[in-house]
Amino acid sequence: MSNTIEQAVEARLVAAAPRMQTIPATLHYDQGDPFAVRMSFPAPATLEGVEVYWTFARELLCQGMEQAVGDGDVRVRPYGFDRTVVEFHAPEGTAIVHIRTGELRRFLHRSLTLVPTGDEHLHVDLDQDLADLMRDAC
């Protein structure tokens, strides 16, 4: 069984214009970082012209499909019957995307099968993480 999950999703970029542009995005989950989800956007879909990654709590995504959550760089909230809004806040500006809630549920189900809620601590190697921090400090 693989310890990582990747799933492509269709994101609709909410812009100043009334039309929403569809952009590809990929959700990533790694058992080695069990509390986090990473969402990536390919270079053509970003202002910088390079692939962009946002990493945030898996719990934020789970809760955000039901109610508005987050007060930092990433915020998630339901939108209508079948969409979830994810907002990414950076000094350069804010990007807001709509994602089909069904796609998010499918991804989260797969991640929760790999590492159930409450079992994340069983997949964290604190000794290795501490060794990495100490090595980087030297």
Side-chain angles (χ1 to χ4, degrees):
M1 177 185 226
S2 175
N3 61 356
T4 61
I5 297 169
E6 286 194 358
Q7 179 178 316
V9 294
E10 180 182 284
R12 307 274 267 154
L13 180 63
V14 179
R19 181 174 84 74
M20 291 194 308
Q21 176 184 355
T22 300
I23 57 173
T26 304
L27 291 166
H28 308 263
Y29 182 78
D30 185 339
Q31 184 177 8
D33 190 5
F35 292 100
V37 168
R38 189 176 76 204
M39 189 171 208
S40 63
F41 298 93
T46 69
L47 293 174
E48 298 84 12
V50 296
E51 188 169 22
V52 172
Y53 294 92
W54 285 84
T55 302
F56 51 96
R58 176 173 70 167
E59 183 179 3
L60 189 73
L61 198 54
C62 290
Q63 292 177 354
M65 291 186 300
E66 306 301 326
Q67 63 185 6
V69 293
D71 57 6
D73 294 343
V74 180
R75 301 172 192 173
V76 184
R77 70 179 187 280
Y79 183 78
F81 176 71
D82 66 343
R83 299 275 179 187
T84 299
V85 173
V86 183
E87 297 180 14
F88 301 99
H89 297 262
E92 301 81 20
T94 300
I96 301 172
V97 296
H98 289 192
I99 303 168
R100 287 189 181 103
T101 303
E103 291 183 37
L104 294 178
R105 287 192 198 286
R106 195 166 35 259
F107 171 78
L108 288 168
H109 174 75
R110 293 172 62 206
S111 79
L112 291 167
T113 299
L114 190 61
V115 179
T117 300
D119 286 355
E120 294 93 348
H121 68 283
L122 301 173
H123 300 275
V124 175
D125 186 348
L126 293 178
D127 291 333
Q128 183 61 50
D129 291 345
L130 183 57
D132 290 344
L133 282 172
M134 297 302 288
R135 184 186 63 244
D136 292 343
C138 296

